[in-house]
């Protein structure tokens, strides 16, 4: 956990929940602003590998639901997440901070959402998200966003200026994968979403929501 800090660079780390005692769910890497200690900004996570366990081939649905950790959570601003590999996780990369860059990452084998982008003016480009596991009531997404109002109400605000470019989203690359999810591709509900650009993405899924922005203003 990196909190209330600036100008840090994590590179080349291997982070796993399996390294410390009994396996339990957690968030493997957090870059957090804090209401008392202060903001986090201008930091980088690059070329790291993160996984709940190295081999999840023997996991059943209950294992995926209760043992898969979240990958990377960013609540600070101006953070770059680049070139990382996340495997066997619940949520892949989640960002609520503003002006963050998420590029060139691979999220492979996940049971929640691959990417979540809730902060303004974020860029998500050239990422690969694949192999979604349907093991609970979550509606799985390759990329998901929603807005929050001033009172925290979902759908009560606006997410501004996000770019989604050149990403690849595939629900399952192996037709024999157990618990293969009918993952939504780019699912942005409970908007508003203003000044977004969504271009040159490839989406392969069995769901009817390939690209959906519900409540978009001045988007392309």
């Amino acid at each position: 956990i990196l909190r209330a800090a600036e100008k840090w660079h994590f590179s080349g780390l291997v982070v796993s929940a399996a390294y410390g005692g009994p396996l339990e769910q957690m968030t493997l890497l957090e870059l957090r602003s804090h209401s008392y200690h202060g903001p986090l900004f201008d930091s980088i996570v690059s070329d790291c590998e993160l996984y709940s366990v190295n081999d999840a081939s023997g996991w059943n649905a209950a294992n995926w639901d209760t043992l898969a950790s979240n990958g990377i959570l960013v609540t600070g601003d101006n953070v770059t997440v680049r070139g990382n590999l996340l495997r066997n996780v619940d949520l892949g990369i989640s960002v609520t901070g503003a002006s963050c860059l998420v590029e060139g990452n691979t999220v492979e084998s996940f049971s929640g959402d691959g990417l979540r982008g809730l902060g303004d003016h974020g860029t998500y480009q050239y990422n690969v998200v694949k192999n979604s596991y349907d093991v609970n009531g979550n509606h799985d997404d390759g990329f998901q966003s929603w807005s929050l109002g001033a009172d925290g109400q979902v759908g009560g605000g606006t997410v501004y200026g996000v770019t989604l470019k050149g990403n690849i989203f595939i629900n399952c690359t192996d037709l024999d994968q157990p618990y293969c999810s009918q993952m939504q591709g780019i699912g942005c509900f409970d908007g508003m979403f203003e000044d977004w650009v969504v271009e040159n993405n490839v989406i392969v899924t069995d769901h009817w929501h390939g690209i959906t922005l519900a409540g978009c203003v001045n988007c392309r």
Side-chain angles (χ1 to χ4, degrees):
I1 300 175
L2 181 65
R3 183 172 64 190
E6 63 173 311
K7 301 188 186 306
W8 281 68
H9 186 179
F10 294 104
S11 181
L13 302 180
V14 179
V15 184
S16 175
Y19 287 155
L23 188 65
E24 59 180 330
Q25 285 182 317
M26 61 186 69
T27 299
L28 300 176
L29 182 58
E30 302 181 34
L31 292 87
R32 283 189 172 274
S33 289
H34 192 271
S35 59
Y36 176 75
H37 291 112
L40 179 141
F41 55 96
D42 292 348
S43 294
I44 301 170
V45 179
S46 66
D47 302 309
C48 295
E49 183 175 3
L50 303 96
Y51 53 84
S52 303
V53 293
N54 189 46
D55 182 4
S57 60
W59 275 8
N60 57 28
N63 295 144
W64 274 106
D65 188 36
T66 61
L67 297 179
S69 290
N70 298 327
I72 299 173
L73 171 65
V74 178
T75 71
D77 299 338
N78 297 310
V79 172
T80 295
V81 181
R82 177 187 291 126
N84 303 284
L85 172 62
L86 296 88
R87 300 185 292 110
N88 303 328
V89 294
D90 182 9
L91 303 176
I93 301 171
S94 301
V95 178
T96 64
S99 302
C100 293
L101 173 63
V102 178
E103 68 174 359
N105 304 283
T106 297
V107 179
E108 179 177 355
S109 300
F110 61 99
S111 55
D113 299 327
L115 305 175
R116 281 184 178 177
L118 310 186
D120 295 335
H121 306 294
T123 298
Y124 303 81
Q125 60 186 13
Y126 312 119
N127 302 285
V128 176
V129 176
K130 61 184 179 179
N131 300 341
S132 175
Y133 283 73
D134 182 11
V135 295
N136 52 38
N138 182 68
H139 61 82
D140 307 318
D141 298 83
F143 176 93
Q144 185 180 27
S145 184
W146 64 86
S147 70
L148 295 173
D151 58 355
Q153 179 183 2
V154 174
T158 302
V159 183
Y160 293 97
V162 169
T163 297
L164 286 165
K165 180 172 65 176
N167 302 287
I168 298 174
F169 301 99
I170 306 174
N171 63 332
C172 295
T173 58
D174 179 0
L175 297 179
D176 295 324
Q177 174 189 308
Y179 317 114
C180 181
S181 169
Q182 292 185 343
M183 174 191 78
Q184 297 173 154
I186 295 173
C188 301
F189 306 97
D190 299 308
M192 306 297 277
F193 307 100
E194 188 167 344
D195 297 332
W196 282 46
V197 175
V198 181
E199 64 183 5
N200 296 334
N201 300 283
V202 175
I203 297 170
V204 182
T205 183
D206 297 313
H207 201 282
W208 54 89
H209 284 298
I211 302 175
T212 300
L213 275 69
C216 58
V217 178
N218 193 37
C219 296
R220 176 165 64 84

